[in-house]
Amino acid sequence: MKATVYVTIKQNVLDPQGTAVQGALHSMGFGEVEGVRIGKVLEVELATTDRAEAETRLKDMCEKLLANTVVEDYRFELEG
Amino acid sequence: MKFAVLVFPGSNCDIDCYNAVEDTVAQPVDYVWHTATDLSAYDCIIVPGGFSYGDYLRSGAIARFAPVMSEVRKAAEAGKYVLGICNGFQILTEAGLLPGALMRNTNMKFRCHSSLLEVVNNRTPFTNQYEAGEVIDIPIAHGEGNYYCDDTTLRRLQDNDQIVFRYAEGSNPNGSVADIAGIRNEQGNVVGMMPHPERAVSSVLGSADGARMFASILNAWREQHGAAVNS
């Protein structure tokens, strides 16, 4: 089973990288860009076919390591 | 009094910390590898700067699971002194031993220069040799030193006198909330800071202001143990 984990900076936390990219897009003429937030995508292969178990384990992975929940949110999608 | 300087793969301020202890307070000090499972021999544990485990994923995120970190947690609970500097501070926040998180500097730059700090709390084992409100010169060297915590946590830090150092007015180099450069835990025995006191222990290095941090630790330990001056 394959999981795609998205880790994003919380909305109320400033994302300096996103702000820099927004500035770059503006200077290139993409004036319609109102905001950019940069996050991470992790592709995780799991040796299980049990969806419920995979979800429980992934949540644990996210809480413990993949996201720092002080400043980041996470969500994931499961395929297969 | 016995000091430990932790060494993770990717630590790069461990030797400076070791030398700073020897040069400032002349106490026994050991390098302790990240796989160690016993820190009971040590009175003060220094978590040095660097890029532990390459800082992959997030600064300090992987180091916090090193075997030695459960010993650091035990030492902190036992009231021993724990000082996290730069990457060490990031590791201590990731480990939950200190609140908040260190984010990318708002200016997106790696800032490496001397910095002026205000000693906000001089009633800690790490700062008792400074005057309250004294401004000291301690260098910084980081790309992710932008301290963040939510408003509730910030109020708690302020109410409990947990802010130890602030960047001097108008000189915040990284966007830190409330100009925070260093904080302590509620108990007061764990301090994390982005600036590097170990790089400021001699006028030859540009500043000797960091030396008094090490002197503070020894002084606190002696007071706590009623120890003779030469022990």
Side-chain angles (χ1 to χ4, degrees):
Chain A
M1 190 170 281
K2 186 182 152 192
T4 309
V5 181
Y6 301 89
V7 179
T8 51
I9 295 182
K10 282 183 194 287
Q11 282 304 323
N12 56 347
V13 176
L14 184 71
D15 173 15
Q17 288 187 88
T19 309
V21 171
Q22 183 183 348
L25 289 170
H26 281 173
S27 65
M28 291 161 72
F30 297 102
E32 71 273 33
V33 175
E34 290 188 329
V36 179
R37 312 279 297 173
I38 295 182
K40 293 173 191 147
V41 177
L42 297 93
E43 292 176 347
V44 183
E45 296 287 344
L46 298 167
T48 178
T49 51
D50 182 335
R51 205 174 175 87
E53 189 204 350
E55 284 185 5
T56 312
R57 300 284 287 172
L58 273 165
K59 186 165 188 299
D60 208 22
M61 291 178 212
C62 288
E63 294 280 337
K64 283 187 175 152
L65 177 65
L66 303 183
N68 178 344
T69 55
V70 174
V71 285
E72 293 171 328
D73 291 322
Y74 66 85
R75 66 189 166 84
F76 50 80
E77 290 161 5
L78 278 169
E79 294 170 37
Chain B
M1 172 174 194
K2 206 160 176 193
F3 285 78
V5 174
L6 302 189
V7 186
F8 297 92
S11 294
N12 64 13
C13 300
D14 43 333
I15 299 175
D16 287 354
C17 285
Y18 184 102
N19 288 337
V21 170
E22 284 203 321
D23 293 348
T24 58
V25 292
Q27 295 296 301
V29 50
D30 289 333
Y31 292 114
V32 177
W33 190 233
H34 63 114
T35 52
T37 51
D38 183 7
L39 289 176
S40 58
Y42 300 101
D43 305 296
C44 178
I45 294 141
I46 299 177
V47 191
F51 298 86
S52 55
Y53 297 92
D55 274 351
Y56 296 143
L57 193 63
R58 292 181 309 277
S59 305
I62 297 177
R64 70 163 280 208
F65 293 105
V68 78
M69 287 308 294
S70 48
E71 287 301 300
V72 172
R73 183 177 301 280
K74 267 192 229 166
E77 283 165 6
K80 292 185 175 182
Y81 308 136
V82 178
L83 174 61
I85 301 167
C86 199
N87 192 220
F89 185 13
Q90 295 162 339
I91 295 170
L92 295 181
T93 56
E94 282 281 343
L97 287 167
L98 290 170
L102 281 315
M103 310 270 301
R104 184 71 74 93
N105 295 350
T106 46
N107 48 43
M108 295 297 289
K109 290 182 176 134
F110 188 98
R111 301 296 297 265
C112 182
H113 51 72
S114 62
S115 71
L116 295 178
L117 307 181
E118 179 200 342
V119 180
V120 181
N121 184 345
N122 70 340
R123 299 173 312 283
T124 79
F126 306 87
T127 54
N128 58 58
Q129 299 296 300
Y130 297 110
E131 301 294 329
E134 184 178 347
V135 174
I136 59 175
D137 185 354
I138 307 279
I140 56 166
H142 60 250
E144 299 187 16
N146 171 8
Y147 182 79
Y148 173 84
C149 63
D150 60 27
D151 292 342
T152 317
T153 309
L154 179 61
R155 259 196 307 279
R156 206 168 60 231
L157 289 176
Q158 287 164 336
D159 292 348
N160 296 335
D161 263 338
Q162 284 177 256
I163 300 170
V164 180
F165 297 111
R166 279 187 211 274
Y167 299 106
E169 209 181 332
S171 71
N172 185 332
N174 53 31
S176 280
V177 159
D179 299 333
I180 286 173
I183 56 169
R184 65 170 178 84
N185 64 348
E186 275 184 43
Q187 233 181 317
N189 62 315
V190 178
V191 159
M193 62 193 295
M194 288 313 296
H196 288 272
E198 81 281 10
R199 296 189 189 178
V201 294
S202 158
S203 55
V204 177
L205 300 173
S207 168
D209 287 348
R212 280 182 287 159
M213 272 202 85
F214 298 94
S216 295
I217 298 169
L218 179 59
N219 183 57
W221 184 83
R222 281 177 175 157
E223 279 189 2
Q224 196 184 352
H225 291 82
V229 171
N230 60 355
S231 68

